[in-house]
Amino acid sequence: QDLQEKAEDQLEAARKKEVAAAQNFELRKQALDDEIRFAKRDMEQAKKGIASYAEKKSTAEGELQKSTKDLVADGGTKSALRHECMAKAEDFATETKSRAEVLNAIAE
């Protein structure tokens, strides 16, 4: 009987050890599953953020390109306007000088 009791005690100890190991395994498995789930969620958020920033970057680059074209066009307009103003100022100066000469001639 001592041998049977000893065998039963060993069997009970082995069963307890097996149950504890199974519980530890399930806890560890759950922890890893949770970690994987959270990592996947974080990765999805990061992918959405990357897509959003890529779209914003594309929009900003388009706006920059348009602004650059507008700046070049404005520079051309400014140059043409300056040239026109200088020509009119020159014409005005010539007309003023001519009138002064006419007035001087009349005055004499």
PDB file of all heavy atoms in Angstrom, residues 72-101:
ATOM      1  N   VAL A  72       6.111  83.298 -61.168  1.00  0.00           N
ATOM      2  CA  VAL A  72       6.795  83.557 -62.436  1.00  0.00           C
ATOM      3  C   VAL A  72       5.934  84.469 -63.315  1.00  0.00           C
ATOM      4  O   VAL A  72       6.425  85.433 -63.908  1.00  0.00           O
ATOM      5  CB  VAL A  72       7.126  82.236 -63.161  1.00  0.00           C
ATOM      6  CG1 VAL A  72       7.594  82.494 -64.585  1.00  0.00           C
ATOM      7  CG2 VAL A  72       8.185  81.458 -62.387  1.00  0.00           C
ATOM      8  N   ALA A  73       4.624  84.168 -63.376  1.00  0.00           N
ATOM      9  CA  ALA A  73       3.714  84.992 -64.184  1.00  0.00           C
ATOM     10  C   ALA A  73       3.647  86.419 -63.639  1.00  0.00           C
ATOM     11  O   ALA A  73       3.667  87.386 -64.406  1.00  0.00           O
ATOM     12  CB  ALA A  73       2.327  84.365 -64.206  1.00  0.00           C
ATOM     13  N   ASP A  74       3.583  86.541 -62.317  1.00  0.00           N
ATOM     14  CA  ASP A  74       3.547  87.874 -61.701  1.00  0.00           C
ATOM     15  C   ASP A  74       4.836  88.644 -61.982  1.00  0.00           C
ATOM     16  O   ASP A  74       4.814  89.864 -62.184  1.00  0.00           O
ATOM     17  CB  ASP A  74       3.323  87.765 -60.191  1.00  0.00           C
ATOM     18  CG  ASP A  74       1.911  87.322 -59.841  1.00  0.00           C
ATOM     19  OD1 ASP A  74       1.045  87.339 -60.741  1.00  0.00           O
ATOM     20  OD2 ASP A  74       1.681  86.957 -58.671  1.00  0.00           O
ATOM     21  N   GLY A  75       5.967  87.934 -62.006  1.00  0.00           N
ATOM     22  CA  GLY A  75       7.242  88.585 -62.316  1.00  0.00           C
ATOM     23  C   GLY A  75       7.221  89.131 -63.736  1.00  0.00           C
ATOM     24  O   GLY A  75       7.695  90.246 -63.996  1.00  0.00           O
ATOM     25  N   GLY A  76       6.660  88.359 -64.660  1.00  0.00           N
ATOM     26  CA  GLY A  76       6.550  88.833 -66.042  1.00  0.00           C
ATOM     27  C   GLY A  76       5.614  90.020 -66.151  1.00  0.00           C
ATOM     28  O   GLY A  76       5.907  91.000 -66.859  1.00  0.00           O
ATOM     29  N   THR A  77       4.494  89.952 -65.445  1.00  0.00           N
ATOM     30  CA  THR A  77       3.539  91.061 -65.452  1.00  0.00           C
ATOM     31  C   THR A  77       4.173  92.313 -64.857  1.00  0.00           C
ATOM     32  O   THR A  77       4.010  93.421 -65.381  1.00  0.00           O
ATOM     33  CB  THR A  77       2.270  90.684 -64.652  1.00  0.00           C
ATOM     34  OG1 THR A  77       1.706  89.512 -65.220  1.00  0.00           O
ATOM     35  CG2 THR A  77       1.253  91.789 -64.654  1.00  0.00           C
ATOM     36  N   LYS A  78       4.903  92.126 -63.782  1.00  0.00           N
ATOM     37  CA  LYS A  78       5.578  93.265 -63.135  1.00  0.00           C
ATOM     38  C   LYS A  78       6.576  93.898 -64.092  1.00  0.00           C
ATOM     39  O   LYS A  78       6.647  95.135 -64.215  1.00  0.00           O
ATOM     40  CB  LYS A  78       6.290  92.795 -61.866  1.00  0.00           C
ATOM     41  CG  LYS A  78       7.082  93.881 -61.183  1.00  0.00           C
ATOM     42  CD  LYS A  78       7.912  93.313 -60.046  1.00  0.00           C
ATOM     43  CE  LYS A  78       8.917  94.348 -59.587  1.00  0.00           C
ATOM     44  NZ  LYS A  78      10.016  93.769 -58.858  1.00  0.00           N
ATOM     45  N   SER A  79       7.324  93.079 -64.780  1.00  0.00           N
ATOM     46  CA  SER A  79       8.323  93.593 -65.717  1.00  0.00           C
ATOM     47  C   SER A  79       7.649  94.375 -66.846  1.00  0.00           C
ATOM     48  O   SER A  79       8.097  95.468 -67.201  1.00  0.00           O
ATOM     49  CB  SER A  79       9.132  92.425 -66.289  1.00  0.00           C
ATOM     50  OG  SER A  79      10.053  92.887 -67.238  1.00  0.00           O
ATOM     51  N   ALA A  80       6.574  93.804 -67.394  1.00  0.00           N
ATOM     52  CA  ALA A  80       5.858  94.488 -68.477  1.00  0.00           C
ATOM     53  C   ALA A  80       5.253  95.796 -67.980  1.00  0.00           C
ATOM     54  O   ALA A  80       5.313  96.832 -68.662  1.00  0.00           O
ATOM     55  CB  ALA A  80       4.772  93.579 -69.039  1.00  0.00           C
ATOM     56  N   LEU A  81       4.675  95.783 -66.784  1.00  0.00           N
ATOM     57  CA  LEU A  81       4.071  96.984 -66.216  1.00  0.00           C
ATOM     58  C   LEU A  81       5.126  98.053 -65.953  1.00  0.00           C
ATOM     59  O   LEU A  81       4.913  99.241 -66.234  1.00  0.00           O
ATOM     60  CB  LEU A  81       3.333  96.622 -64.925  1.00  0.00           C
ATOM     61  CG  LEU A  81       2.528  97.722 -64.251  1.00  0.00           C
ATOM     62  CD1 LEU A  81       1.460  98.252 -65.210  1.00  0.00           C
ATOM     63  CD2 LEU A  81       1.885  97.204 -62.975  1.00  0.00           C
ATOM     64  N   ARG A  82       6.268  97.633 -65.454  1.00  0.00           N
ATOM     65  CA  ARG A  82       7.362  98.585 -65.197  1.00  0.00           C
ATOM     66  C   ARG A  82       7.823  99.222 -66.511  1.00  0.00           C
ATOM     67  O   ARG A  82       8.031 100.436 -66.591  1.00  0.00           O
ATOM     68  CB  ARG A  82       8.527  97.862 -64.518  1.00  0.00           C
ATOM     69  CG  ARG A  82       9.653  98.788 -64.139  1.00  0.00           C
ATOM     70  CD  ARG A  82      10.737  98.018 -63.361  1.00  0.00           C
ATOM     71  NE  ARG A  82      11.751  98.899 -62.869  1.00  0.00           N
ATOM     72  CZ  ARG A  82      12.762  99.390 -63.590  1.00  0.00           C
ATOM     73  NH1 ARG A  82      12.876  99.080 -64.855  1.00  0.00           N
ATOM     74  NH2 ARG A  82      13.654 100.187 -63.046  1.00  0.00           N
ATOM     75  N   HIS A  83       7.967  98.387 -67.536  1.00  0.00           N
ATOM     76  CA  HIS A  83       8.393  98.895 -68.846  1.00  0.00           C
ATOM     77  C   HIS A  83       7.364  99.902 -69.384  1.00  0.00           C
ATOM     78  O   HIS A  83       7.734 100.975 -69.874  1.00  0.00           O
ATOM     79  CB  HIS A  83       8.559  97.726 -69.822  1.00  0.00           C
ATOM     80  CG  HIS A  83       8.989  98.136 -71.186  1.00  0.00           C
ATOM     81  ND1 HIS A  83      10.243  98.652 -71.457  1.00  0.00           N
ATOM     82  CD2 HIS A  83       8.336  98.126 -72.371  1.00  0.00           C
ATOM     83  CE1 HIS A  83      10.333  98.938 -72.734  1.00  0.00           C
ATOM     84  NE2 HIS A  83       9.189  98.623 -73.332  1.00  0.00           N
ATOM     85  N   GLU A  84       6.089  99.572 -69.248  1.00  0.00           N
ATOM     86  CA  GLU A  84       5.023 100.476 -69.710  1.00  0.00           C
ATOM     87  C   GLU A  84       5.039 101.794 -68.933  1.00  0.00           C
ATOM     88  O   GLU A  84       4.909 102.874 -69.519  1.00  0.00           O
ATOM     89  CB  GLU A  84       3.663  99.786 -69.544  1.00  0.00           C
ATOM     90  CG  GLU A  84       2.487 100.584 -70.073  1.00  0.00           C
ATOM     91  CD  GLU A  84       1.167  99.866 -69.873  1.00  0.00           C
ATOM     92  OE1 GLU A  84       1.155  98.625 -69.776  1.00  0.00           O
ATOM     93  OE2 GLU A  84       0.138 100.559 -69.792  1.00  0.00           O
ATOM     94  N   CYS A  85       5.209 101.704 -67.626  1.00  0.00           N
ATOM     95  CA  CYS A  85       5.257 102.920 -66.796  1.00  0.00           C
ATOM     96  C   CYS A  85       6.452 103.791 -67.169  1.00  0.00           C
ATOM     97  O   CYS A  85       6.330 105.031 -67.256  1.00  0.00           O
ATOM     98  CB  CYS A  85       5.326 102.556 -65.316  1.00  0.00           C
ATOM     99  SG  CYS A  85       3.763 101.980 -64.654  1.00  0.00           S
ATOM    100  N   MET A  86       7.600 103.160 -67.390  1.00  0.00           N
ATOM    101  CA  MET A  86       8.797 103.925 -67.771  1.00  0.00           C
ATOM    102  C   MET A  86       8.580 104.614 -69.118  1.00  0.00           C
ATOM    103  O   MET A  86       8.973 105.778 -69.302  1.00  0.00           O
ATOM    104  CB  MET A  86      10.026 103.007 -67.826  1.00  0.00           C
ATOM    105  CG  MET A  86      10.438 102.453 -66.464  1.00  0.00           C
ATOM    106  SD  MET A  86      10.862 103.695 -65.254  1.00  0.00           S
ATOM    107  CE  MET A  86      12.398 104.276 -65.914  1.00  0.00           C
ATOM    108  N   ALA A  87       7.944 103.903 -70.055  1.00  0.00           N
ATOM    109  CA  ALA A  87       7.686 104.498 -71.380  1.00  0.00           C
ATOM    110  C   ALA A  87       6.739 105.682 -71.246  1.00  0.00           C
ATOM    111  O   ALA A  87       6.947 106.739 -71.872  1.00  0.00           O
ATOM    112  CB  ALA A  87       7.103 103.444 -72.316  1.00  0.00           C
ATOM    113  N   LYS A  88       5.681 105.526 -70.432  1.00  0.00           N
ATOM    114  CA  LYS A  88       4.727 106.635 -70.250  1.00  0.00           C
ATOM    115  C   LYS A  88       5.380 107.808 -69.530  1.00  0.00           C
ATOM    116  O   LYS A  88       5.105 108.968 -69.854  1.00  0.00           O
ATOM    117  CB  LYS A  88       3.489 106.153 -69.505  1.00  0.00           C
ATOM    118  CG  LYS A  88       2.625 105.263 -70.382  1.00  0.00           C
ATOM    119  CD  LYS A  88       1.298 104.947 -69.756  1.00  0.00           C
ATOM    120  CE  LYS A  88       0.526 104.071 -70.731  1.00  0.00           C
ATOM    121  NZ  LYS A  88      -0.857 103.983 -70.439  1.00  0.00           N
ATOM    122  N   ALA A  89       6.240 107.511 -68.574  1.00  0.00           N
ATOM    123  CA  ALA A  89       6.934 108.582 -67.866  1.00  0.00           C
ATOM    124  C   ALA A  89       7.851 109.331 -68.823  1.00  0.00           C
ATOM    125  O   ALA A  89       7.957 110.568 -68.781  1.00  0.00           O
ATOM    126  CB  ALA A  89       7.736 108.002 -66.695  1.00  0.00           C
ATOM    127  N   GLU A  90       8.497 108.598 -69.707  1.00  0.00           N
ATOM    128  CA  GLU A  90       9.373 109.212 -70.708  1.00  0.00           C
ATOM    129  C   GLU A  90       8.547 110.076 -71.674  1.00  0.00           C
ATOM    130  O   GLU A  90       8.942 111.207 -71.995  1.00  0.00           O
ATOM    131  CB  GLU A  90      10.090 108.100 -71.485  1.00  0.00           C
ATOM    132  CG  GLU A  90      11.397 108.532 -72.109  1.00  0.00           C
ATOM    133  CD  GLU A  90      12.124 107.340 -72.710  1.00  0.00           C
ATOM    134  OE1 GLU A  90      12.643 106.510 -71.934  1.00  0.00           O
ATOM    135  OE2 GLU A  90      12.147 107.257 -73.951  1.00  0.00           O
ATOM    136  N   ASP A  91       7.396 109.531 -72.112  1.00  0.00           N
ATOM    137  CA  ASP A  91       6.504 110.300 -72.990  1.00  0.00           C
ATOM    138  C   ASP A  91       6.035 111.576 -72.292  1.00  0.00           C
ATOM    139  O   ASP A  91       5.989 112.656 -72.897  1.00  0.00           O
ATOM    140  CB  ASP A  91       5.286 109.463 -73.412  1.00  0.00           C
ATOM    141  CG  ASP A  91       5.649 108.349 -74.372  1.00  0.00           C
ATOM    142  OD1 ASP A  91       6.769 108.368 -74.918  1.00  0.00           O
ATOM    143  OD2 ASP A  91       4.803 107.451 -74.575  1.00  0.00           O
ATOM    144  N   PHE A  92       5.681 111.456 -71.019  1.00  0.00           N
ATOM    145  CA  PHE A  92       5.217 112.609 -70.247  1.00  0.00           C
ATOM    146  C   PHE A  92       6.310 113.664 -70.162  1.00  0.00           C
ATOM    147  O   PHE A  92       6.076 114.863 -70.342  1.00  0.00           O
ATOM    148  CB  PHE A  92       4.748 112.175 -68.848  1.00  0.00           C
ATOM    149  CG  PHE A  92       4.327 113.314 -67.988  1.00  0.00           C
ATOM    150  CD1 PHE A  92       3.078 113.919 -68.169  1.00  0.00           C
ATOM    151  CD2 PHE A  92       5.161 113.809 -66.991  1.00  0.00           C
ATOM    152  CE1 PHE A  92       2.688 114.980 -67.370  1.00  0.00           C
ATOM    153  CE2 PHE A  92       4.762 114.867 -66.188  1.00  0.00           C
ATOM    154  CZ  PHE A  92       3.528 115.455 -66.375  1.00  0.00           C
ATOM    155  N   ALA A  93       7.526 113.216 -69.877  1.00  0.00           N
ATOM    156  CA  ALA A  93       8.650 114.154 -69.772  1.00  0.00           C
ATOM    157  C   ALA A  93       8.892 114.848 -71.108  1.00  0.00           C
ATOM    158  O   ALA A  93       9.134 116.061 -71.152  1.00  0.00           O
ATOM    159  CB  ALA A  93       9.903 113.410 -69.311  1.00  0.00           C
ATOM    160  N   THR A  94       8.802 114.096 -72.182  1.00  0.00           N
ATOM    161  CA  THR A  94       8.996 114.680 -73.518  1.00  0.00           C
ATOM    162  C   THR A  94       7.907 115.694 -73.824  1.00  0.00           C
ATOM    163  O   THR A  94       8.190 116.805 -74.325  1.00  0.00           O
ATOM    164  CB  THR A  94       8.999 113.564 -74.592  1.00  0.00           C
ATOM    165  OG1 THR A  94      10.008 112.617 -74.266  1.00  0.00           O
ATOM    166  CG2 THR A  94       9.253 114.119 -75.971  1.00  0.00           C
ATOM    167  N   GLU A  95       6.646 115.342 -73.528  1.00  0.00           N
ATOM    168  CA  GLU A  95       5.524 116.256 -73.769  1.00  0.00           C
ATOM    169  C   GLU A  95       5.639 117.504 -72.918  1.00  0.00           C
ATOM    170  O   GLU A  95       5.372 118.624 -73.380  1.00  0.00           O
ATOM    171  CB  GLU A  95       4.193 115.556 -73.498  1.00  0.00           C
ATOM    172  CG  GLU A  95       3.818 114.509 -74.531  1.00  0.00           C
ATOM    173  CD  GLU A  95       2.553 113.743 -74.152  1.00  0.00           C
ATOM    174  OE1 GLU A  95       1.822 114.178 -73.235  1.00  0.00           O
ATOM    175  OE2 GLU A  95       2.308 112.711 -74.785  1.00  0.00           O
ATOM    176  N   THR A  96       6.047 117.344 -71.667  1.00  0.00           N
ATOM    177  CA  THR A  96       6.205 118.485 -70.769  1.00  0.00           C
ATOM    178  C   THR A  96       7.298 119.416 -71.291  1.00  0.00           C
ATOM    179  O   THR A  96       7.136 120.646 -71.309  1.00  0.00           O
ATOM    180  CB  THR A  96       6.530 118.006 -69.344  1.00  0.00           C
ATOM    181  OG1 THR A  96       5.512 117.126 -68.914  1.00  0.00           O
ATOM    182  CG2 THR A  96       6.631 119.155 -68.372  1.00  0.00           C
ATOM    183  N   LYS A  97       8.395 118.839 -71.738  1.00  0.00           N
ATOM    184  CA  LYS A  97       9.497 119.639 -72.277  1.00  0.00           C
ATOM    185  C   LYS A  97       9.047 120.367 -73.548  1.00  0.00           C
ATOM    186  O   LYS A  97       9.343 121.544 -73.736  1.00  0.00           O
ATOM    187  CB  LYS A  97      10.691 118.727 -72.570  1.00  0.00           C
ATOM    188  CG  LYS A  97      11.911 119.464 -73.049  1.00  0.00           C
ATOM    189  CD  LYS A  97      13.052 118.500 -73.296  1.00  0.00           C
ATOM    190  CE  LYS A  97      14.238 119.261 -73.849  1.00  0.00           C
ATOM    191  NZ  LYS A  97      15.330 118.394 -74.239  1.00  0.00           N
ATOM    192  N   SER A  98       8.299 119.654 -74.374  1.00  0.00           N
ATOM    193  CA  SER A  98       7.816 120.246 -75.624  1.00  0.00           C
ATOM    194  C   SER A  98       6.875 121.400 -75.338  1.00  0.00           C
ATOM    195  O   SER A  98       6.957 122.466 -75.977  1.00  0.00           O
ATOM    196  CB  SER A  98       7.115 119.170 -76.459  1.00  0.00           C
ATOM    197  OG  SER A  98       6.587 119.727 -77.640  1.00  0.00           O
ATOM    198  N   ARG A  99       5.954 121.231 -74.383  1.00  0.00           N
ATOM    199  CA  ARG A  99       5.027 122.318 -74.017  1.00  0.00           C
ATOM    200  C   ARG A  99       5.794 123.520 -73.475  1.00  0.00           C
ATOM    201  O   ARG A  99       5.467 124.666 -73.780  1.00  0.00           O
ATOM    202  CB  ARG A  99       4.019 121.828 -72.976  1.00  0.00           C
ATOM    203  CG  ARG A  99       2.840 121.159 -73.594  1.00  0.00           C
ATOM    204  CD  ARG A  99       1.737 120.925 -72.562  1.00  0.00           C
ATOM    205  NE  ARG A  99       1.164 119.602 -72.833  1.00  0.00           N
ATOM    206  CZ  ARG A  99       1.214 118.568 -72.055  1.00  0.00           C
ATOM    207  NH1 ARG A  99       1.786 118.674 -70.881  1.00  0.00           N
ATOM    208  NH2 ARG A  99       0.697 117.431 -72.412  1.00  0.00           N
ATOM    209  N   ALA A 100       6.803 123.249 -72.686  1.00  0.00           N
ATOM    210  CA  ALA A 100       7.601 124.328 -72.105  1.00  0.00           C
ATOM    211  C   ALA A 100       8.297 125.108 -73.203  1.00  0.00           C
ATOM    212  O   ALA A 100       8.357 126.357 -73.157  1.00  0.00           O
ATOM    213  CB  ALA A 100       8.604 123.763 -71.110  1.00  0.00           C
ATOM    214  N   GLU A 101       8.788 124.391 -74.195  1.00  0.00           N
ATOM    215  CA  GLU A 101       9.464 125.056 -75.314  1.00  0.00           C
ATOM    216  C   GLU A 101       8.449 125.913 -76.114  1.00  0.00           C
ATOM    217  O   GLU A 101       8.762 127.027 -76.526  1.00  0.00           O
ATOM    218  CB  GLU A 101      10.125 124.043 -76.213  1.00  0.00           C
ATOM    219  CG  GLU A 101      11.363 123.403 -75.607  1.00  0.00           C
ATOM    220  CD  GLU A 101      11.934 122.264 -76.450  1.00  0.00           C
ATOM    221  OE1 GLU A 101      11.356 121.933 -77.509  1.00  0.00           O
ATOM    222  OE2 GLU A 101      12.966 121.707 -76.047  1.00  0.00           O
TER     223      GLU A 101
END
